[in-house]
Amino acid sequence: GNSVTQMEGPVTLSEEAFLTINCTYTATGYPSLFWYVQYPGEGLQLLLKATKADDKGSNKGFEATYRKETTSFHLEKGSVQVSDSAVYFCALANSGGSNYKLTFGKGTLLTVNP
Amino acid sequence: DAMVIQNPRYQVTQFGKPVTLSCSQTLNHNVMYWYQQKSSQAPKLLFHYYDKDFNNEADTPDNFQSRRPNTSFCFLDIRSPGLGDAAMYLCATSTTPGQGWRGYEQYFGPGTRLTVT
């Protein structure tokens, strides 16, 4: 079956530090990969996505590259801000009949201090 | 703006008293999902509708039911809430091939925080 393993948190950084949150996956075929962000008390927002090998998703200074050879989709940002403090979820989706489901990792809490 | 709306944002119910959470969407997506999210955990899929076809997850308790009267609205009914049902409930939508396909990405509402007293 499908599974997503992401870096255990919490992660605490100072403003302008470099961020990496690791994510690896197990899936059959060619899944689509996503990073979602959840700010306190809110729903999930799609941060970026990649649908095939070597695709790079990017948004708001965040990037992640779909690496099929290492089954990874690590999230990076060169300079984090206090406003990036949130929980980040890595997720994958695989087709299967009409089952358009997401498989989530456990989430990584990021706290950025000024 | 097209969006997913959940009402209410906060709901308090008593132990054993039925409660209904609502979700509406202006995206005209044909798949709608309900998730349960407990503190510091990933969202857990309860069920989803593909148009009017209901798809229940194998481990979703019978206490949880859902209705989708039309494309825009979907309801989550908890027949007899227990203390363990206190959580954030998230509604999401997605497209399908042939309906403005945007891959498998899902669009989430802001959630309803349910408290059971």
Side-chain angles (χ1 to χ4, degrees):
Chain A
N2 299 330
S3 68
V4 175
T5 302
Q6 66 179 99
M7 175 174 165
E8 296 272 340
V11 174
T12 302
L13 296 173
S14 297
E15 206 164 23
E16 299 184 3
F18 184 85
L19 168 70
T20 300
I21 301 178
N22 290 337
C23 172
T24 57
Y25 67 89
T26 301
T28 55
Y30 301 91
S32 295
L33 301 173
F34 306 89
W35 277 101
Y36 281 86
V37 59
Q38 186 174 31
Y39 298 102
E42 297 185 13
L44 276 68
Q45 299 175 25
L46 178 65
L47 182 59
L48 52 85
K49 69 176 182 180
T51 58
K52 59 183 188 297
D54 300 326
D55 266 2
K56 177 186 281 188
S58 61
N59 186 27
K60 299 181 181 180
F62 291 89
E63 293 183 339
T65 301
Y66 188 143
R67 301 284 188 201
K68 191 163 178 64
E69 63 276 13
T70 54
T71 62
S72 65
F73 193 55
H74 304 321
L75 182 68
E76 296 183 336
K77 186 175 186 183
S79 176
V80 294
Q81 305 300 311
V82 171
S83 57
D84 294 326
S85 298
V87 179
Y88 293 81
F89 291 97
C90 184
L92 72 81
N94 234 344
S95 64
S98 63
N99 293 329
Y100 298 91
K101 298 182 189 180
L102 288 176
T103 300
F104 287 97
K106 292 186 176 181
T108 302
L109 173 63
L110 170 67
T111 301
V112 180
N113 294 319
Chain B
D1 286 343
M3 55 175 44
V4 181
I5 303 160
Q6 291 188 244
N7 285 308
R9 292 293 309 275
Y10 300 91
Q11 176 74 57
V12 180
T13 192
Q14 293 177 336
F15 183 94
K17 184 175 181 181
V19 65
T20 295
L21 309 182
S22 71
C23 176
S24 64
Q25 54 133 340
T26 60
L27 298 163
N28 202 34
H29 288 172
N30 59 347
V31 189
M32 293 187 77
Y33 308 80
W34 278 105
Y35 290 88
Q36 180 192 64
Q37 186 181 28
K38 295 190 175 180
S39 183
S40 303
Q41 296 184 19
K44 178 181 181 298
L45 183 63
L46 296 174
F47 24 62
H48 74 278
Y49 276 93
Y50 186 127
D51 291 327
K52 286 194 172 293
D53 292 335
F54 178 70
N55 297 272
N56 198 32
E57 293 299 297
D59 57 354
T60 298
D62 292 341
N63 198 27
F64 291 87
Q65 304 287 319
S66 186
R67 297 169 282 135
R68 189 179 184 185
N70 54 52
T71 300
S72 300
F73 286 87
C74 195
F75 300 98
L76 170 62
D77 300 309
I78 308 177
R79 294 193 295 188
S80 181
L83 297 178
D85 298 326
M88 174 79 90
Y89 290 87
L90 298 167
C91 175
T93 72
S94 71
T95 60
T96 53
Q99 198 222 16
W101 177 238
R102 289 186 58 79
Y104 298 101
E105 64 188 79
Q106 293 183 13
Y107 298 78
F108 284 81
T112 295
R113 171 75 64 188
L114 178 68
T115 301
V116 182
T117 61

